[in-house]
Amino acid sequence: MCKFVSREFALMALACCAAQFSVAQNAPVASPETEQHIQHVTSGLTSDVVIKGDEHATHMLVDRMKELNIPGVSIAVIHEGKIEWARGFGVSSIGGSPVTPETMFQAGSISKPLAAMAALRLVEQGKLSLDADINTSLTTWKFPADPVAVGKPVTLRELLTHTGGTTVHGFPGYASTEPVPTLVQVLNGEKPANTPAIRSEAVPGTKWNYSGGGYTIMQQALIDVTKKPFPKLLHDTVLAPIGMTQSTYEQPLPKEFQAYAATPYSGDGKPIKGGAHTYPEMAAAGLWTTPTDLARYAIEVQKSLEGKANHVLSVEMTRQMLTPGMGRWGLGPEIGGAEADPYFTHGGVNEGFVNNFAAYEKNGEGAVVMTNSANGGLIASEILHSIAAVYGWPDFQPTVRTVVSVGPKILAQFAGVYALAPTFNMTITLVNGQLISQVTRQGKVPLFAESETMFFSKDVNAEIEFPKDEKGPASQLILHQNGRDMTGKRLDDVEAKKIADAAAAFDKRFKDQTAAPGSEAAVRRMIGELQTGKPNYDLMSPGLAEVTRQQLPQLQSMIVAKGALQSVIFKGVGPGGADIYQVNFEKGSIDYRIWLGADGKTESANLRPSEYPTPIVPATH
């Protein structure tokens, strides 16, 4: 999906590889009404935005899995306080067994709300405090004081709500060939950890900033307080009481579960090299589970609110857990929906796994979707749209828009280049009566008119407004997205031509698959600078320079561990404009994606372990 918001990394789209599709053969027989629900859900997938009257707005699950290279999907639906159905679709591994309700997936960050339940149970038992300095519970390791925190201690409540001012957003995990650090090494950013030290970046309690690092501090606190291994603690306090028998926080996955494990796949349909990654950051990302078990967790929360279960938490503590604070985050889950009918939710992404769940607090409805593909986020969203439509949820349904006809003379006034931010522009063109939008380093997106001044995309829930200008061509546009407005001023003809020429040059580079002049030299220079720990920030965009400063210890550690540089091989040009190189070292390889600006500076860069050294092939679909 093309998105208007800027991003540092554009996932490469390779030639489609059809995913195998099958329905689990051992799925229990459902009632005719439930089978009808399943049929409607799996044939009614929609994007975030649909056009009123569009006969092609819905899609079959099997078709979307093939289009997105997703081998396997597993779904569980909660209706009227019970699991109405759970089904697997596709395969747990290409050429292998079908996905069944018992197939296990890595939950990614959905690990967090269940880990939070364990912490809250200890709070109720008087073993932890929500509002005391977390260091009073830590014995193996202490969270270092930092001047940025101005002497304010971090509390468990702040860690659970992502308001502790702690660093490290998420964790990439460790491939099967890589050494796995201890939890203390992760906390300190010490080798072989592949993430920086978890430290303060803001005064605790002053802002919301998602931090897997905060949950890793919490993990250590729970271990120190209970003197138990984290997987056993979570089994005894959360998983077993709820009846989540097909779930574990053990990392790596124990042998007795391995036959049930789905194989993770990258976005191009290739298996993740070495299989599922290992996550010592168990509270943040370590749960293996199924949609059925996660549905049991959701039902436990729903019933605990009513005082009908409470196997883990009391009614009062469950209410606290689901009370939205800064960023609409509770003590573990995110809280959404209307105040009178809220839902709790969380997404999860590990290497090759993408998942989502949502459940309403009051009416016993909910759903869980798990996938074994890096492309799973899009299909999970589309499935939730379909479930919401079939079961009449007040949220998650696609936005329905009406298209109106606007004359070509009016449309022509909007064509131009608009500066949304430094080095981030939106180009509007008129092609055969259709407005087309293209932002820096992203694909072309057709726009549809709601009125003579308001336009939308079917690909993402956003609107572009052209305020009326009686003097002639539009002088600005306003991008409305995610509750935010971003104004772009129209550039003059000279600046617009420079950007148009650069776009045309990129189109030719992408078609011919030729590298931008100077990009290989820039890659070699930046690798050398990372090895010495002395990047030249003057040759980077401000955004890239800031990110590099923050991640320098992690980046330097990764590059140094690879050994001496041996070769740099051009693989191709990605649809997002990146030149992609395979960089070979003495002890391994990485893929390096680099975007060079017209001034020769590096606008953006991204590196990750190299798995597939074959050249890039432009997508044919």
Side-chain angles (χ1 to χ4, degrees):
M1 177 186 292
C2 296
K3 294 187 177 180
F4 293 125
V5 290
S6 180
R7 56 182 176 178
E8 290 296 319
F9 169 67
L11 188 65
M12 304 313 305
L14 303 186
C16 263
C17 174
Q20 298 183 50
F21 183 86
S22 64
V23 177
Q25 297 301 309
N26 63 344
V29 177
S31 69
E33 181 182 13
T34 298
E35 287 293 347
Q36 189 175 52
H37 287 165
I38 296 171
Q39 181 182 355
H40 288 165
V41 167
T42 57
S43 62
L45 277 64
T46 64
S47 59
D48 289 344
V49 179
V50 298
I51 295 175
K52 186 176 182 180
D54 183 0
E55 297 179 355
H56 304 289
T58 59
H59 307 280
M60 298 289 293
L61 175 59
V62 57
D63 295 333
R64 293 299 285 148
M65 289 176 68
K66 288 178 180 178
E67 291 166 5
L68 295 170
N69 293 322
I70 297 175
V73 172
S74 189
I75 305 170
V77 172
I78 304 165
H79 182 49
E80 297 179 346
K82 299 178 181 179
I83 300 174
E84 183 181 64
W85 59 273
R87 288 281 174 90
F89 304 88
V91 291
S92 59
S93 63
I94 294 176
S97 59
V99 174
T100 75
E102 290 73 40
T103 301
M104 299 173 71
F105 299 78
Q106 285 192 343
S109 287
I110 297 177
S111 307
K112 293 181 176 71
L114 281 82
M117 283 189 84
L120 296 176
R121 182 178 176 90
L122 294 177
V123 171
E124 290 205 287
Q125 293 174 344
K127 298 177 181 179
L128 280 175
S129 169
L130 274 171
D131 299 307
D133 183 345
I134 195 64
N135 273 333
T136 63
S137 299
L138 289 164
T139 56
T140 302
W141 173 88
K142 295 288 185 180
F143 185 58
D146 193 298
V148 74
V150 297
K152 189 176 186 303
V154 178
T155 68
L156 177 61
R157 185 186 302 275
E158 290 162 344
L159 295 177
L160 296 182
T161 57
H162 301 287
T163 58
T166 51
T167 59
V168 185
H169 179 93
F171 301 97
Y174 298 84
S176 59
T177 56
E178 297 176 329
V180 178
T182 65
L183 191 59
V184 170
Q185 287 174 324
V186 171
L187 292 165
N188 288 329
E190 298 170 347
K191 293 181 180 179
N194 57 14
T195 48
I198 300 168
R199 297 293 186 263
S200 295
E201 58 92 25
V203 178
T206 60
K207 72 173 186 176
W208 184 90
N209 183 41
Y210 190 91
S211 174
Y215 271 73
T216 307
I217 296 173
M218 180 268 281
Q219 178 181 336
Q220 186 64 65
L222 266 61
I223 294 171
D224 287 348
V225 166
T226 64
K227 311 301 182 186
K228 289 184 177 181
F230 192 77
K232 177 171 175 52
L233 172 65
L234 266 290
H235 173 270
D236 293 348
T237 59
V238 177
L239 304 182
I242 293 176
M244 297 176 65
T245 57
Q246 197 76 353
S247 301
T248 181
Y249 275 85
E250 292 279 1
Q251 290 283 333
L253 190 66
K255 288 183 179 179
E256 61 265 30
F257 285 119
Q258 287 178 5
Y260 297 100
T263 299
Y265 288 82
S266 60
D268 57 12
K270 302 289 187 179
I272 299 299
K273 189 175 181 180
H277 282 192
T278 296
Y279 292 83
E281 312 89 357
M282 297 172 189
L287 177 64
W288 279 91
T289 188
T290 68
T292 297
D293 270 6
L294 286 178
R296 291 186 175 115
Y297 150 77
I299 292 170
E300 171 71 20
V301 173
Q302 292 170 336
K303 291 187 179 298
S304 290
L305 271 178
E306 300 174 342
K308 296 179 179 179
N310 308 106
H311 296 105
V312 182
L313 301 178
S314 67
V315 173
E316 177 54 36
M317 185 57 77
T318 306
R319 286 199 187 104
Q320 282 197 57
M321 182 179 71
L322 298 178
T323 299
M326 214 176 292
R328 287 192 60 79
W329 220 268
L331 296 168
E334 181 181 2
I335 310 301
E339 184 176 349
D341 192 12
Y343 62 82
F344 55 102
T345 183
H346 214 294
V349 179
N350 275 4
E351 191 73 13
F353 295 99
V354 183
N355 322 289
N356 207 347
F357 89 86
Y360 283 88
E361 296 179 14
K362 298 180 180 180
N363 59 20
E365 301 296 304
V368 185
V369 182
M370 306 192 81
T371 76
N372 61 340
S373 169
N375 288 345
L378 182 56
I379 204 167
S381 176
E382 293 177 358
I383 292 169
L384 282 176
H385 290 326
S386 184
I387 292 170
V390 171
Y391 288 89
W393 292 4
D395 307 282
F396 298 99
Q397 299 201 33
T399 300
V400 179
R401 301 195 184 278
T402 301
V403 174
V404 301
S405 177
V406 177
K409 289 185 178 180
I410 295 176
L411 296 177
Q413 297 179 13
F414 305 140
V417 180
Y418 301 82
L420 292 166
T423 72
F424 184 54
N425 304 302
M426 179 178 287
T427 300
I428 304 293
T429 54
L430 180 61
V431 180
N432 298 325
Q434 171 82 62
L435 277 189
I436 304 291
S437 167
Q438 184 173 24
V439 298
T440 305
R441 296 199 303 272
Q442 295 186 31
K444 296 179 180 180
V445 179
L447 299 179
F448 302 88
E450 288 183 284
S451 70
E452 289 188 351
T453 59
M454 191 72 76
F455 295 78
F456 68 92
S457 162
K458 291 194 294 184
D459 295 325
V460 63
N461 197 4
E463 293 177 301
I464 297 174
E465 179 182 3
F466 297 94
K468 286 190 175 181
D469 193 328
E470 305 298 337
K471 298 179 181 179
S475 60
Q476 65 179 5
L477 63 74
I478 304 173
L479 171 62
H480 305 283
Q481 186 177 15
N482 298 329
R484 298 177 57 194
D485 297 334
M486 183 181 292
T487 300
K489 299 292 185 181
R490 187 191 192 99
L491 299 179
D492 61 35
D493 292 344
V494 174
E495 289 297 317
K497 187 176 186 306
K498 290 180 181 178
I499 292 170
D501 289 346
F506 164 68
D507 288 343
K508 187 176 189 308
R509 277 203 312 114
F510 181 65
K511 180 180 179 181
D512 298 341
Q513 288 294 294
T514 55
S519 67
E520 180 178 340
V523 169
R524 291 180 177 274
R525 172 180 54 77
M526 293 177 75
I527 291 292
E529 292 170 355
L530 290 175
Q531 287 174 325
T532 62
K534 297 178 180 179
N536 187 341
Y537 297 112
D538 292 336
L539 295 180
M540 303 179 190
S541 67
L544 178 61
E546 179 181 356
V547 171
T548 304
R549 286 189 181 95
Q550 293 174 353
Q551 299 183 0
L552 183 57
Q554 170 192 352
L555 294 170
Q556 184 180 13
S557 175
M558 179 190 300
I559 296 299
V560 170
K562 297 291 185 184
L565 177 65
Q566 293 184 331
S567 63
V568 177
I569 302 171
F570 178 65
K571 293 177 66 175
V573 183
D579 284 350
I580 305 172
Y581 290 90
Q582 180 177 312
V583 183
N584 298 312
F585 298 88
E586 182 183 7
K587 299 179 182 178
S589 302
I590 62 172
D591 277 354
Y592 201 109
R593 291 160 168 79
I594 184 170
W595 289 262
L596 283 186
D599 57 2
K601 292 185 177 181
T602 303
E603 291 186 358
S604 186
N606 180 280
L607 55 88
R608 61 185 296 161
S610 180
E611 297 174 5
Y612 310 107
T614 53
I616 296 297
V617 179
T620 57
H621 60 287

